[in-house]
Structure formats: structure tokens, C-alpha cells
Amino acid sequence: MNAARGKAEWLDAYLAQLATQRKLSPHTLDAYGRDLRALLELSGDTPWAALAHNEVRRYTAKLHAGGLDPRSIARKLSSWRGFFNWLSGETQLDANPVDGIRAPKRAKTLPKALSVDDAVRLVAPAQHQQGAAEPEQLCNRAMFELLYSSGLRVSELTSLDTHYCKAENGRDASLGWLDMASFEVIVTGKGNKMRKVPVGKAALVALTAWLGVRPPAADGSAALFLSTRATRISPRVLQLRLKAHALATDIPANVHPHVLRHSFASHVLQSSGDLRAVQEMLGHSSITSTQVYTALDFQHLAHVYDQAHPRAKVK
């Protein structure tokens, strides 16, 4: 009992240090406290200095077997590692028993994709709009069409210029730009890798309509998509506009820009079966990043099978 009480006092001292010196918020301190109390319970009467690496590994396995998700286990390990790092400066420790221990791998979640019908309905002109479309509506439609047409990341889309601009007058060269003549966009993706992606006919029509009313950018730049203040559209504003449009269109999903990227990839793969082409268009450096969409494709095929095959379900 004395050993356990001594251990708890060390935890209290560490939490006090986090509160007074690192100025952590009460919410964060509560999270640290829960994680450390879990370690206190798991380790029982074993003194902190005597806690071995294999024991902490066993605790991790026990938490996983108890149904705790890998993300929560990773957070606990981080809290425990920080505590022992601090403790090593306060008392004699041979080593940090948490070093080198990793949480179990997280299950790879499949990206969410809209059905073809919902994706088309989302990016098509709104049926409820009366009269001529406002510039903001034309801008939105061009952005949404392009996201679905070309599978761009939100950062890639918001970085697009109307045309290529070289570095001059204190401005950097374009990271991405629209090439209407070639029916494509050139974008800079992860790792500063540039790629060309085709633009579909519907997106070209929407882009032409937007360019016909696009005002000059407030900063004189060639930013393709602009906010109501004529500044380059931000990823956050794009996210909010797409979410509001999805709600108004009654799309039964939590729609954000990456959903359209996922929808693009899965729909192209369903139609073509060409995994390499999808990899190139998405800008994935490794084919393994793209292979997740084969699982989506299988889900689609499995659904068709369940609905169509007379022996798919036992009557």
C-alpha cells in the first residue's frame, strides 16, 4: 500500500508540473491524469523504478485485448513516456520502460465515396435556383465540378491560378494552373511533385462560366477561385461552401472536399479498372496508397451481386 501511495504521489507531482510549468489546459490535464491512473492500476505495487519494458508491453496488449482502440493506446503510451522522461530527472531510472513500444496498428479505414448519382447531383447546377446564377454560385459550381472531375486535393484546388505565372515582383511562380486549351490542370501535390490531370467537359463548362464573371483578384494575383472579398479562396471557405451546398441538395452524407476526391477515384476505377492511371491522376507516390480503392470497388461489386444474383441470399 505504501509503495502504491508513493507511486501516486509521483504522478501528482508530474501533473502539477504540467499545470504550473507547461501551462496545460484543464481538459488536457484530465486526459493525462486518466492515462497515468490507468498505468498506476495496471502496474499495481511494482515501483516505478522497477517497471520493465516487457511489463509495459504486456499492459499495452491487455488494453488492446480489452477493446481499446489503437489511437487511444498510442495516446496513453505517449503520456506514460512523458512521465518517465520527467521521472528520470527526479530519481534514478535505468531506462524509460516505454521507449520503443508502439501501439497496435490502426485498422485501415476505407475512404467514403458518394454514389455516382449523388456525386453528379452534388456538382450539377442547383435545380432550386431561380434566374441567372450569382458569381458566388458559379464559382462554387466550378470548384465542385473540378474537385469531382479531377480528384484534386483541396490544397491543390485552392492554389490554382487562371494561367501559369512566373516568379516576379516578389511573387512566387504558380503552384498550379488551368490549361483550358489542353483540357487539363497542372498541380503541385505532396512532395512538391507536379502532375497533369484531365478536366472533364462538365467542369470545363462550369469553369468557362465562372471565368466569364470572375472579378480581378484584390491583390492582383491570378488566383483562379476567389472569395466574396476577391481574395484567393481558402480551404476552410471551400469546405464550408461544399458542406452547405450538400445539405441544401439533401445529400445523405457528411460531404467534405476529400469525399469528392474519393468518389472520383472509386468511380474511375469502377469504370476502367486501371489502378495505375488512378494512381497517376491522384498523385500517389506509391500504388499501395491507391489500392485502398480496389476495396471500394469490391464493395460496389459485392452490392451488385447481393442485389442481382438469385443465389446471393438464402431465402
Side-chain angles (χ1 to χ4, degrees):
M1 182 65 69
N2 289 335
R5 185 162 53 246
K7 290 171 65 178
E9 289 172 359
W10 281 117
L11 294 186
D12 290 340
Y14 176 59
L15 291 171
Q17 184 264 349
L18 293 180
T20 57
Q21 295 186 28
R22 290 182 54 185
K23 307 293 185 182
L24 297 185
S25 69
H27 176 77
T28 303
L29 286 171
D30 285 344
Y32 270 102
R34 288 193 298 272
D35 293 340
L36 294 171
R37 283 192 293 274
L39 178 61
L40 182 65
E41 181 178 347
L42 287 164
S43 59
D45 292 336
T46 304
W48 293 132
L51 200 60
H53 184 272
N54 66 314
E55 286 295 301
V56 177
R57 189 177 297 279
R58 185 170 62 82
Y59 303 155
T60 303
K62 184 175 181 179
L63 291 172
H64 190 229
L68 193 64
D69 68 274
R71 186 185 299 272
S72 297
I73 294 174
R75 192 199 66 225
K76 287 189 186 304
L77 287 171
S78 178
S79 297
W80 299 353
R81 191 176 295 110
F83 167 66
F84 280 106
N85 282 338
W86 170 82
L87 191 61
S88 65
E90 303 293 323
T91 186
Q92 185 64 38
L93 290 182
D94 292 334
N96 189 324
V98 190
D99 280 349
I101 298 179
R102 297 182 179 180
K105 289 186 177 180
R106 301 171 189 171
K108 187 172 288 186
T109 56
L110 291 175
K112 296 176 182 178
L114 299 173
S115 68
V116 173
D117 288 344
D118 280 345
V120 171
R121 186 158 57 92
L122 179 67
V123 300
Q127 299 298 318
H128 61 273
Q129 290 175 357
Q130 302 294 325
E134 296 292 328
E136 182 178 329
Q137 295 167 343
L138 292 175
C139 180
N140 287 349
R141 185 188 169 204
M143 290 192 298
F144 305 161
E145 283 277 14
L146 190 54
L147 282 172
Y148 180 51
S149 168
S150 303
L152 303 184
R153 299 179 177 94
V154 63
S155 60
E156 294 170 349
L157 183 130
T158 56
S159 297
L160 287 174
D161 288 339
T162 57
H163 59 280
Y164 175 73
C165 299
K166 63 181 181 180
E168 60 181 1
N169 300 325
R171 285 202 179 96
D172 294 330
S174 297
L175 291 174
W177 62 93
L178 178 64
D179 188 343
M180 295 285 278
S182 299
F183 314 124
E184 62 190 16
V185 286
I186 295 85
V187 296
T188 302
K190 292 184 177 179
N192 288 324
K193 293 181 178 179
M194 300 192 78
R195 71 184 191 281
K196 295 181 179 180
V197 189
V199 178
K201 291 181 180 179
L204 287 170
V205 170
L207 284 163
T208 301
W210 160 240
L211 288 172
V213 300
R214 173 190 171 275
D219 62 356
S221 72
L224 176 57
F225 298 115
L226 303 174
S227 70
T228 53
R229 296 182 179 180
T231 57
R232 185 182 294 276
I233 202 85
S234 70
R236 181 57 177 162
V237 170
L238 171 56
Q239 291 165 359
L240 292 173
R241 288 191 184 186
L242 180 59
K243 188 176 185 66
H245 178 66
L247 290 172
T249 315
D250 293 327
I251 300 296
N254 178 23
V255 178
H256 50 83
H258 228 60
V259 167
L260 287 177
R261 178 171 161 87
H262 296 326
S263 302
F264 159 84
S266 58
H267 297 166
V268 171
L269 187 59
Q270 286 170 12
S271 299
S272 69
D274 193 333
L275 193 63
R276 286 290 180 185
V278 173
Q279 177 194 1
E280 288 295 322
M281 288 186 281
L282 290 176
H284 286 160
S285 58
S286 170
I287 195 69
T288 57
S289 299
T290 317
Q291 283 175 331
V292 66
Y293 294 103
T294 62
L296 282 173
D297 190 38
F298 178 79
Q299 287 181 339
H300 168 74
L301 294 175
H303 178 72
V304 171
Y305 179 88
D306 287 342
Q307 296 298 315
H309 199 287
R311 299 298 291 169
K313 298 179 180 177
V314 179
K315 302 295 183 183

